[in-house]
């Protein structure tokens, strides 16, 4: 914004600071309508996001409702000490990281393979149909997904125990009481649910590629496999990198719904189904331990924040265009 | 780019898979597509099976005896279902419309290159994607500061401003609305609000429609806010009703006038719990299944809108 000459003349006589003040006021006056338009969202962001950010002090306090949040006595790092004294801290961190790492790999490998294969289907109608059907699970809420899983795994009447396993001559399994199977079930459910979503993203990237590469490859007699490894995958590498890094940035945030709903809160399974998000929820709203819960939540926020920055820094190094900030 | 529209199937006839390979891929996808539908089929089949058959044979794809008793039971006293549907529809419509208005109103100023504070306010919304205070303080703000526990406000407010969508809308404004139009409108003496309502919004229908669809799905599928904030039975959404039914099938029985009447008369009421549980889900999924074919086309478009730059 160019400052009119009258202001420049005035600037010679008054200190710089108040010029800044004046021009800020002028901006405000000129764009008052913009501030009015933004007001509702600003209020919502403050209430929903910014006040809770200051609420992280709860983690360093010994909260009692009589004194309120600000009035409660400080407890220093006591809450964190308690947290690390329990074995929970290790278990939930391990589960969160391992599951999410597994999800990242699966969400790359299968959707990418599916996208490449889907592209080879000659009938446009069929390809579209499969894509549509694959996308369906993405639209179902985790509550519904937990029912679908229950239909197969229910100890008493589930399809596996009542039909499939006896037919194969195998023993029934008490699925909701057997720890060892869940590290396989949860990735399976997660991949099944998000397959359509990631496939669409990779499909879009592949379709955007120039046909000429493939024309040339055909003339050179390159096999389909060679085309995939030497053309398709290298060319959509930016998309692959970004999708993966975005997920790495969120590796400390578990999908609450998946870990909370699908195992049906079976306490026996907690060693393999409890993640940071479910732990924070249960410690706070089921057990009622505010200190422990907010300590875990704060650690998650801080580490998550650092990871987003780190992954974004890596993206910037690779390709500035794709960085978030 | 429209992924849904352009599925290139080897535009070059020389560069197509051999017939056996092509057949293999087709068979593979048919099997996978079936795997996506089969779980839903199982649930539907169980819901229309006779209760004692389920107890005897377990959940079956092809039950030996069909019976609509579960649905009869559900609709004999449909007050809870109708109430939940009303709440879900209300929350979804009010939430989606409000959030669209609030987000578009915020996205427009930060899209304007001549607005000196645009950068700051862009960061203001973007930062919420990076750092959060966590569940505990967030909960306390809603329950203690605002006191909205057990109200529908608690189901709507937390999802109103999604930072990611604000940035998507802003990018759309920046890239598709010609500055020249805004300039000429200004010269004609139109105010900012007039420009926004009469020029910017009509030109932005594609992005607004996409965001509206995403938000509709978010509101309809949300059960977390109910889990955290709702204890009163009058405010239970469809998703939360399904969740409660999952945990405790007796919840439906307790709320059933039919069961109460039989018990009051001194009889024992046999509750078809296994089939009712599944019928409840079928009733709950209904709208999504019907809206799905229409939805997904726009979803695919929305997903491929392109990167957001902060």
């Amino acid at each position: 914004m160019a400052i009119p000459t009258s202001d420049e003349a005035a600037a010679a006589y008054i200190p710089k600071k108040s010029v800044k003040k004046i021009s800020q006021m002028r901006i405000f006056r000129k764009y008052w309508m913009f501030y009015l338009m933004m007001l509702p969202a600003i209020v919502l962001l403050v209430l929903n996001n910014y006040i809770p950010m200051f609420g992280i002090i709860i983690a360093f306090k010994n909260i009692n409702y009589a004194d309120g949040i600000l009035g409660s006595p400080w407890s220093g790092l006591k809450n964190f000490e308690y947290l690390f004294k329990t074995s929970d801290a290790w278990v939930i961190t391990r589960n969160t990281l391992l599951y999410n790492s597994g999800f990242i790999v699966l969400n790359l490998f299968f959707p990418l393979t599916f996208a490449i294969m889907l592209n080879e289907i000659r009938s446009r109608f069929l390809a579209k149909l499969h894509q549509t059907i694959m996308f369906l699970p993405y639209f179902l809420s985790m509550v519904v997904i937990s029912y679908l899983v229950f239909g197969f795994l229910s100890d008493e009447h589930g399809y596996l125990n009542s039909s499939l396993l006896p037919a194969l001559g195998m023993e029934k399994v008490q699925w909701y009481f057997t720890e060892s199977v869940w590290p396989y079930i949860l990735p399976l459910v997660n991949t099944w649910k998000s397959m359509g979503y990631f496939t669409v993203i990779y499909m879009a990237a592949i379709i955007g590629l120039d046909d000429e590469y493939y024309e040339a490859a055909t003339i050179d007699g390159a096999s389909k496999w060679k085309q995939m490894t030497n053309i398709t995958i290298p060319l959509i590498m930016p998309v692959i990198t970004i999708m993966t890094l975005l997920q790495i940035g969120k590796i400390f945030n578990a999908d609450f719904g998946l870990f909370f709903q699908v195992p049906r809160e079976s306490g026996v399974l907690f060693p393999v189904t409890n993640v940071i998000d479910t732990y924070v929820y249960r410690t706070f709203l089921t057990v009622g331990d505010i200190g422990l819960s907010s300590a875990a939540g704060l650690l998650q926020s801080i580490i998550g924040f650092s990871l987003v920055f780190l992954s974004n820094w890596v993206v910037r190094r690779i390709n500035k265009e794709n960085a978030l900030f | 780019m429209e992924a849904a529209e352009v599925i290139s199937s080897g535009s070059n006839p020389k560069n197509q898979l051999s017939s056996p390979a092509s057949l293999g891929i087709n068979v593979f996808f048919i099997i996978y597509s079936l795997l996506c539908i089969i779980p839903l089929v199982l649930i539907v089949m169980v819901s229309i099976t006779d209760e004692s058959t389920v107890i005897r044979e377990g959940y079956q794809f092809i039950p030996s005896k069909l019976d609509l008793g579960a649905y009869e039971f559900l609709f004999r006293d449909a007050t809870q279902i109708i109430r939940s549907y009303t709440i879900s529809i209300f929350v979804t419509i009010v939430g989606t419309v409000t959030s669209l208005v609030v987000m578009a109103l915020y996205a427009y100023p930060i899209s304007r290159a001549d607005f000196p504070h645009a950068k700051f306010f862009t960061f203001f919304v973007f930062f919420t994607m990076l750092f959060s205070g966590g569940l505990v303080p967030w909960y306390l703000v809603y329950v203690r500061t605002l006191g909205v526990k057990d109200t529908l406000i608690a189901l709507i407010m937390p999802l109103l401003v999604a930072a990611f969508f604000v940035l998507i809308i802003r990018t759309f404004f920046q890239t598709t609305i010609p500055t020249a139009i805004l300039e000429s409108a200004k010269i004609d003496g139109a105010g900012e609000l007039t420009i926004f309502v009469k020029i910017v919004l009509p030109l932005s229908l594609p992005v607004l429609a996409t965001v509206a669809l995403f938000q509709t799905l978010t509101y309809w599928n949300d059960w977390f806010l109910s889990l955290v904030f709702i204890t009163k039975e009058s405010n239970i959404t469809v998703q939360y009703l399904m969740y409660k039914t999952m945990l405790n099938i007796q919840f439906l029985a307790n709320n059933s006038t039919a069961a109460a009447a039989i018990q009051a008369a001194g009889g024992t009421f046999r509750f078809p719990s296994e089939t009712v549980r599944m019928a409840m889900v079928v009733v709950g999924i209904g709208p999504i299944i019907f809206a799905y074919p229409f939805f997904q086309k726009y979803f695919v478009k929305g997903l491929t809108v392109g990167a957001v730059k902060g």
Side-chain angles (χ1 to χ4, degrees):
Chain A
M1 205 182 89
I3 301 171
T5 43
S6 60
D7 265 15
E8 277 170 5
Y13 298 100
I14 42 178
K16 267 245 174 320
K17 214 173 168 183
S18 58
V19 169
K20 208 169 158 89
K21 258 213 180 84
I22 288 170
S23 58
Q24 287 293 344
M25 275 310 292
R26 290 180 45 120
I27 291 172
F28 200 85
R29 258 215 300 275
K30 183 172 173 193
Y31 291 101
W32 66 273
M33 194 51 173
F34 278 1
Y35 290 95
L36 198 64
M37 286 164 92
M38 292 193 295
L39 191 63
I42 292 173
V43 171
L44 284 165
L45 285 168
V46 166
L47 287 171
N48 192 58
N49 303 86
Y50 284 96
I51 295 178
M53 281 181 205
F54 292 105
I56 58 179
I57 58 165
I58 295 174
F60 304 98
K61 286 198 165 218
N62 190 354
I63 293 287
N64 62 65
Y65 284 128
D67 296 334
I69 290 173
L70 294 174
S72 294
W74 290 96
S75 67
L77 295 175
K78 271 267 187 304
N79 291 325
F80 295 90
E81 270 172 50
Y82 288 137
L83 179 66
F84 288 112
K85 274 205 184 101
T86 62
S87 60
D88 293 342
W90 151 246
V91 169
I92 58 176
T93 309
R94 178 203 63 184
N95 288 347
T96 307
L97 285 176
L98 279 182
Y99 277 119
N100 275 341
S101 312
F103 294 169
I104 292 171
V105 173
L106 294 170
N107 284 344
L108 170 63
F109 179 77
F110 284 106
L112 186 58
T113 312
F114 275 44
I116 291 171
M117 282 165 61
L118 212 45
N119 241 338
E120 294 297 338
I121 290 188
R122 279 180 225 172
S123 151
R124 271 196 54 187
F125 169 77
L126 276 180
K128 236 174 124 158
L129 184 74
H130 290 314
Q131 193 196 11
T132 306
I133 295 173
M134 270 165 58
F135 211 174
L136 180 65
Y138 178 80
F139 288 74
L140 304 173
S141 76
M142 270 303 171
V143 177
V144 173
I145 302 275
S146 79
Y147 272 97
L148 301 183
V149 173
F150 183 76
F152 285 92
L153 301 186
S154 161
D155 298 337
E156 219 177 336
H157 309 296
Y159 184 73
L160 291 184
N161 277 357
S162 62
S163 304
L164 198 64
L165 295 178
L168 297 171
M170 291 157 91
E171 285 292 302
K172 289 184 177 183
V173 181
Q174 300 299 82
W175 298 100
Y176 290 97
F177 295 98
T178 311
E179 263 185 49
S180 58
V181 295
W182 286 88
Y184 302 97
I185 295 172
L186 290 171
L188 181 76
V189 173
N190 182 69
T191 308
W192 180 78
K193 189 173 193 297
S194 53
M195 178 73 88
Y197 177 86
F198 286 106
T199 305
V200 164
I201 288 175
Y202 290 126
M203 283 277 292
I206 293 171
I207 289 160
L209 299 178
D210 202 330
D211 263 346
E212 285 179 18
Y213 293 110
Y214 296 97
E215 299 275 345
T218 319
I219 292 165
D220 290 343
S223 66
K224 277 282 170 195
W225 179 260
K226 274 256 188 284
Q227 289 178 29
M228 183 180 88
T229 51
N230 293 323
I231 301 171
T232 313
I233 291 180
L235 281 177
I236 61 167
M237 212 56 196
V239 182
I240 294 175
T241 316
I242 299 310
M243 293 308 296
T244 308
L245 281 165
L246 284 178
Q247 290 178 83
I248 290 174
K250 285 192 287 215
I251 201 163
F252 247 74
N253 296 53
D255 179 347
F256 178 86
L258 176 70
F259 295 94
F260 183 79
Q261 296 280 3
V262 177
R264 301 182 68 230
E265 299 197 62
S266 168
V268 180
L269 303 176
F270 283 172
V272 290
T273 58
N274 209 0
V275 287
I276 302 174
D277 299 70
T278 50
Y279 175 83
V280 168
Y281 169 83
R282 285 195 192 106
T283 331
F284 177 39
L285 290 171
T286 319
V287 183
D289 191 330
I290 289 201
L292 210 52
S293 176
S294 38
L298 178 60
L299 280 182
Q300 184 185 29
S301 288
I302 288 174
I303 296 171
F305 183 62
S306 327
L307 280 170
V308 171
F309 259 88
L310 195 69
S311 61
N312 188 68
W313 178 78
V314 176
V315 176
R316 275 184 80 95
R317 293 285 311 264
I318 297 167
N319 181 353
K320 243 188 137 113
E321 273 304 291
N322 289 319
L324 274 173
F325 48 90
Chain B
M1 186 161 50
E2 295 180 359
E5 300 305 315
V6 203
I7 287 186
S8 77
S9 46
S11 49
N12 175 358
K14 282 204 195 68
N15 190 20
Q16 283 189 335
L17 281 177
S18 60
S19 284
S22 186
L23 184 72
I25 282 186
N26 272 306
V27 170
F28 175 86
F29 275 112
I30 288 167
I31 292 170
Y32 188 79
S33 290
L34 281 175
L35 285 178
C36 290
I37 302 173
I38 275 180
L40 288 165
V41 173
L42 181 63
I43 300 291
V44 174
M45 284 329 250
V46 173
S47 76
I48 55 171
T49 307
D50 165 63
E51 177 76 16
S52 51
T53 310
V54 171
I55 307 245
R56 209 175 43 248
E57 301 173 2
Y59 300 154
Q60 294 291 348
F61 283 100
I62 304 161
S64 57
K65 186 163 176 249
L66 293 181
D67 180 62
L68 290 179
Y71 290 95
E72 240 167 75
F73 173 84
L74 276 185
F75 290 109
R76 194 181 316 158
D77 175 21
T79 12
Q80 181 66 57
I81 292 182
I82 291 170
R83 198 189 300 147
S84 292
Y85 253 97
T86 316
I87 302 227
S88 273
I89 292 170
F90 177 82
V91 164
T92 304
I93 292 174
V94 174
T96 305
V97 172
T98 315
S99 85
L100 214 54
V101 170
V102 169
M103 290 197 288
L105 279 171
Y106 190 92
Y108 177 59
I110 63 173
S111 76
R112 284 276 297 268
D114 60 317
F115 179 43
H117 294 162
K119 251 194 149 53
F120 169 79
F121 283 107
T122 306
F123 182 79
F124 186 77
V125 70
F126 177 67
F127 187 70
T128 62
M129 285 167 78
L130 302 180
F131 191 76
S132 82
L135 176 75
V136 179
W138 175 81
Y139 175 89
L140 294 176
V141 165
Y142 281 100
V143 172
R144 301 221 152 237
T145 315
L146 300 172
V148 291
K149 195 174 163 59
D150 260 329
T151 64
L152 295 187
I153 296 173
L155 298 182
I156 294 172
M157 206 172 135
L159 300 172
L160 282 177
V161 183
F164 184 71
F165 290 139
V166 172
L167 295 176
I168 289 222
I169 300 171
R170 177 205 65 145
T171 308
F172 189 92
F173 288 164
Q174 277 173 340
T175 48
T176 49
I177 293 169
T179 342
I181 295 187
L182 301 177
E183 299 287 336
S184 64
K186 264 222 214 54
I187 291 166
D188 293 343
E192 293 292 2
L193 197 61
T194 318
I195 293 175
F196 175 72
V197 172
K198 292 230 158 108
I199 298 170
V200 178
L201 286 188
L203 285 174
S204 310
L205 290 179
V207 76
L208 296 179
T210 304
V211 171
L213 281 177
F214 273 93
Q215 285 294 76
T216 305
L217 194 74
T218 306
Y219 274 111
W220 181 264
N221 272 346
D222 177 73
W223 45 269
F224 180 72
L225 295 174
S226 305
L227 179 75
V228 173
F229 291 126
I230 300 295
T231 49
K232 272 215 300 253
E233 274 165 19
S234 54
N235 285 343
I236 289 178
T237 60
V238 173
Q239 299 292 337
Y240 197 48
L241 182 63
M242 287 195 279
Y243 167 74
K244 273 183 124 47
T245 313
M246 180 63 153
L247 278 192
N248 175 15
I249 187 68
Q250 291 306 323
F251 173 76
L252 277 180
N254 296 344
N255 282 5
S256 149
T257 45
I262 293 171
Q263 270 153 353
T268 44
F269 174 73
R270 280 200 61 253
F271 178 61
S273 57
E274 290 300 326
T275 50
V276 164
R277 179 185 271 162
M278 296 310 180
M280 184 66 241
V281 183
V282 175
V283 170
I285 299 181
I288 286 283
I289 299 294
F290 284 117
Y292 175 68
F294 159 78
F295 253 45
Q296 81 96 30
K297 207 169 81 186
Y298 293 96
F299 249 80
V300 170
K301 271 190 199 152
L303 276 185
T304 48
V305 142
V308 190
K309 289 289 293 169

